[in-house]
Coordinates of all heavy atoms in Angstrom, one line a residue:
L5 N -41.3 -63.1 -55.8 CA -42.2 -63.1 -54.7 C -41.4 -63.1 -53.4 O -41.8 -62.4 -52.4 CB -43.1 -64.3 -54.7 CG -44.1 -64.5 -53.6 CD1 -45.1 -63.3 -53.7 CD2 -44.9 -65.8 -53.8
A6 N -40.3 -63.8 -53.3 CA -39.5 -63.9 -52.1 C -38.9 -62.5 -51.8 O -38.8 -62.0 -50.7 CB -38.4 -64.9 -52.3
V7 N -38.4 -61.8 -52.9 CA -37.9 -60.5 -52.8 C -38.9 -59.5 -52.2 O -38.7 -58.7 -51.4 CB -37.3 -60.0 -54.1 CG1 -36.9 -58.5 -54.0 CG2 -36.0 -60.8 -54.5
L8 N -40.1 -59.6 -52.8 CA -41.2 -58.7 -52.4 C -41.6 -58.9 -51.0 O -41.8 -58.0 -50.2 CB -42.4 -58.9 -53.3 CG -42.4 -58.4 -54.7 CD1 -43.6 -58.9 -55.5 CD2 -42.3 -56.9 -54.7
I9 N -41.6 -60.2 -50.6 CA -42.0 -60.5 -49.2 C -40.9 -60.0 -48.2 O -41.2 -59.4 -47.2 CB -42.1 -62.0 -49.0 CG1 -43.4 -62.5 -49.7 CG2 -42.2 -62.4 -47.5 CD1 -43.6 -64.0 -49.7
A10 N -39.6 -60.2 -48.6 CA -38.5 -59.7 -47.8 C -38.6 -58.2 -47.7 O -38.3 -57.6 -46.6 CB -37.2 -60.2 -48.4
T11 N -38.9 -57.5 -48.8 CA -38.9 -56.1 -48.8 C -40.0 -55.6 -47.9 O -39.9 -54.6 -47.1 CB -39.2 -55.5 -50.2 OG1 -38.1 -56.0 -51.1 CG2 -39.2 -54.0 -50.3
L12 N -41.2 -56.2 -48.0 CA -42.4 -55.9 -47.2 C -42.0 -56.0 -45.7 O -42.4 -55.2 -44.8 CB -43.6 -56.7 -47.6 CG -44.2 -56.3 -48.9 CD1 -45.3 -57.3 -49.3 CD2 -44.9 -54.9 -48.8
M13 N -41.4 -57.2 -45.4 CA -41.0 -57.4 -44.0 C -40.0 -56.4 -43.5 O -40.1 -55.9 -42.4 CB -40.3 -58.8 -43.9 CG -41.3 -60.0 -44.0 SD -40.5 -61.6 -43.9 CE -40.0 -61.5 -42.2
L14 N -39.1 -56.0 -44.3 CA -38.1 -54.9 -44.0 C -38.8 -53.6 -43.7 O -38.5 -52.9 -42.8 CB -37.0 -54.8 -45.1 CG -35.9 -53.8 -44.8 CD1 -35.1 -54.1 -43.6 CD2 -35.0 -53.7 -46.0
L15 N -39.7 -53.3 -44.7 CA -40.5 -52.0 -44.5 C -41.3 -52.0 -43.2 O -41.4 -51.0 -42.5 CB -41.4 -51.8 -45.7 CG -40.7 -51.4 -47.0 CD1 -41.7 -51.4 -48.2 CD2 -40.0 -50.0 -46.9
S16 N -41.9 -53.2 -42.9 CA -42.7 -53.3 -41.7 C -41.8 -53.1 -40.5 O -42.2 -52.4 -39.5 CB -43.4 -54.7 -41.7 OG -44.1 -54.8 -40.5
M17 N -40.6 -53.7 -40.5 CA -39.7 -53.6 -39.3 C -39.3 -52.2 -39.2 O -39.2 -51.6 -38.1 CB -38.5 -54.5 -39.6 CG -38.8 -56.0 -39.4 SD -37.4 -57.0 -39.9 CE -36.2 -56.6 -38.6
C18 N -39.0 -51.5 -40.3 CA -38.6 -50.1 -40.2 C -39.7 -49.2 -39.7 O -39.4 -48.3 -38.9 CB -38.2 -49.6 -41.6 SG -36.6 -50.3 -42.2
S19 N -40.9 -49.5 -40.1 CA -42.1 -48.7 -39.6 C -42.2 -48.9 -38.1 O -42.5 -48.0 -37.4 CB -43.4 -49.2 -40.4 OG -43.3 -48.9 -41.7
M20 N -42.1 -50.2 -37.7 CA -42.2 -50.4 -36.2 C -41.1 -49.7 -35.5 O -41.3 -49.2 -34.4 CB -42.1 -52.0 -36.0 CG -43.3 -52.7 -36.5 SD -43.1 -54.5 -36.3 CE -43.0 -54.7 -34.5
A21 N -39.9 -49.7 -36.0 CA -38.8 -49.0 -35.3 C -39.0 -47.5 -35.3 O -38.8 -46.9 -34.2 CB -37.5 -49.3 -36.1
M22 N -39.6 -47.0 -36.4 CA -39.9 -45.6 -36.4 C -41.0 -45.2 -35.4 O -40.9 -44.2 -34.6 CB -40.3 -45.1 -37.8 CG -39.2 -45.1 -38.8 SD -39.8 -44.6 -40.4 CE -40.3 -43.0 -40.2
A23 N -42.0 -46.1 -35.3 CA -43.1 -45.9 -34.3 C -42.5 -45.9 -32.9 O -42.9 -45.2 -32.0 CB -44.1 -47.0 -34.5
E24 N -41.6 -46.9 -32.7 CA -41.0 -47.0 -31.3 C -40.2 -45.7 -31.0 O -40.1 -45.4 -29.8 CB -40.1 -48.2 -31.3 CG -40.9 -49.5 -31.3 CD -40.0 -50.8 -31.3 OE1 -38.8 -50.6 -31.4 OE2 -40.6 -51.9 -31.3
E25 N -39.6 -45.1 -32.0 CA -38.8 -43.9 -31.8 C -39.6 -42.6 -31.6 O -39.1 -41.6 -31.2 CB -37.7 -43.8 -32.9 CG -36.7 -44.9 -32.9 CD -35.8 -44.8 -34.1 OE1 -36.0 -43.9 -34.9 OE2 -34.9 -45.7 -34.3
T26 N -40.8 -42.7 -32.0 CA -41.7 -41.5 -32.0 C -41.9 -41.1 -30.5 O -42.3 -41.9 -29.7 CB -43.0 -41.7 -32.6 OG1 -42.8 -42.0 -34.0 CG2 -43.9 -40.4 -32.5
V27 N -41.6 -39.8 -30.2 CA -41.7 -39.3 -28.9 C -42.8 -38.2 -28.8 O -42.8 -37.4 -29.7 CB -40.3 -38.7 -28.4 CG1 -40.5 -38.0 -27.1 CG2 -39.3 -39.8 -28.2
T28 N -43.6 -38.3 -27.8 CA -44.6 -37.2 -27.6 C -44.3 -36.5 -26.3 O -44.3 -37.2 -25.2 CB -46.0 -37.8 -27.6 OG1 -46.3 -38.4 -28.9 CG2 -47.0 -36.6 -27.4
I29 N -44.1 -35.2 -26.3 CA -43.9 -34.4 -25.1 C -45.2 -33.8 -24.8 O -45.8 -33.1 -25.6 CB -42.8 -33.4 -25.3 CG1 -41.4 -34.1 -25.4 CG2 -42.8 -32.4 -24.1 CD1 -40.3 -33.2 -25.7
G30 N -45.7 -33.9 -23.6 CA -46.9 -33.2 -23.1 C -46.4 -32.0 -22.3 O -45.4 -32.0 -21.6
Y31 N -47.2 -30.9 -22.3 CA -46.9 -29.8 -21.4 C -48.1 -29.2 -20.8 O -49.2 -29.3 -21.4 CB -46.1 -28.6 -22.2 CG -46.9 -27.9 -23.3 CD1 -47.7 -26.9 -23.0 CD2 -46.7 -28.3 -24.6 CE1 -48.4 -26.2 -24.0 CE2 -47.4 -27.7 -25.6 CZ -48.3 -26.6 -25.3 OH -49.0 -26.0 -26.3
L32 N -48.0 -28.8 -19.6 CA -49.1 -28.2 -18.8 C -48.7 -26.9 -18.2 O -47.8 -26.9 -17.3 CB -49.5 -29.2 -17.7 CG -50.6 -28.8 -16.7 CD1 -51.8 -28.3 -17.4 CD2 -50.9 -30.0 -15.9
L33 N -49.2 -25.8 -18.7 CA -48.8 -24.5 -18.3 C -49.9 -23.8 -17.5 O -51.1 -24.1 -17.7 CB -48.5 -23.6 -19.5 CG -47.4 -24.2 -20.4 CD1 -47.1 -23.2 -21.6 CD2 -46.1 -24.4 -19.6
S34 N -49.5 -22.9 -16.6 CA -50.5 -22.4 -15.6 C -51.5 -21.4 -16.2 O -52.6 -21.4 -15.8 CB -49.7 -21.7 -14.5 OG -48.9 -20.7 -14.9
D35 N -51.0 -20.5 -17.1 CA -51.9 -19.4 -17.5 C -51.5 -18.8 -18.8 O -50.6 -17.9 -18.9 CB -51.9 -18.3 -16.4 CG -52.9 -17.2 -16.7 OD1 -53.7 -17.4 -17.6 OD2 -52.8 -16.2 -16.0
L36 N -52.1 -19.2 -19.9 CA -51.7 -18.8 -21.2 C -52.3 -17.4 -21.6 O -52.2 -16.9 -22.7 CB -52.0 -19.8 -22.3 CG -51.1 -21.0 -22.3 CD1 -51.6 -22.1 -23.3 CD2 -49.6 -20.6 -22.5
S37 N -53.0 -16.8 -20.6 CA -53.4 -15.4 -20.9 C -52.2 -14.4 -20.5 O -52.3 -13.2 -20.8 CB -54.6 -15.0 -20.0 OG -54.3 -15.0 -18.6
N38 N -51.2 -15.0 -19.9 CA -50.0 -14.2 -19.5 C -48.9 -14.4 -20.6 O -48.6 -15.5 -21.0 CB -49.5 -14.7 -18.2 CG -48.3 -13.9 -17.6 OD1 -47.4 -13.6 -18.4 ND2 -48.4 -13.7 -16.3
Q39 N -48.4 -13.2 -21.1 CA -47.4 -13.3 -22.2 C -46.2 -14.1 -21.9 O -45.7 -14.8 -22.8 CB -47.0 -11.9 -22.6 CG -46.1 -11.8 -23.8 CD -45.4 -10.5 -24.0 OE1 -45.8 -9.5 -23.5 NE2 -44.3 -10.5 -24.8
F40 N -45.8 -14.1 -20.6 CA -44.6 -14.9 -20.3 C -44.8 -16.4 -20.6 O -43.9 -17.0 -21.2 CB -44.4 -14.8 -18.8 CG -43.3 -15.6 -18.2 CD1 -42.0 -15.2 -18.3 CD2 -43.5 -16.9 -17.7 CE1 -40.9 -16.0 -17.8 CE2 -42.5 -17.7 -17.3 CZ -41.2 -17.2 -17.3
F41 N -46.0 -16.9 -20.3 CA -46.2 -18.3 -20.6 C -46.5 -18.6 -22.0 O -46.2 -19.7 -22.5 CB -47.4 -18.8 -19.7 CG -47.0 -18.7 -18.2 CD1 -47.7 -17.9 -17.3 CD2 -45.9 -19.5 -17.7 CE1 -47.3 -17.8 -16.0 CE2 -45.6 -19.4 -16.4 CZ -46.3 -18.6 -15.5

Side-chain angles (χ1 to χ4, degrees):
L5 183 60
V7 170
L8 285 171
I9 291 172
T11 302
L12 288 170
M13 289 178 66
L14 181 61
L15 287 172
S16 177
M17 290 172 64
C18 289
S19 296
M20 290 174 64
M22 288 177 67
E24 290 175 357
E25 292 175 2
T26 299
V27 171
T28 301
I29 293 178
Y31 65 86
L32 175 50
L33 302 181
S34 61
D35 184 14
L36 287 176
S37 69
N38 185 317
Q39 184 191 343
F40 176 86
F41 296 114

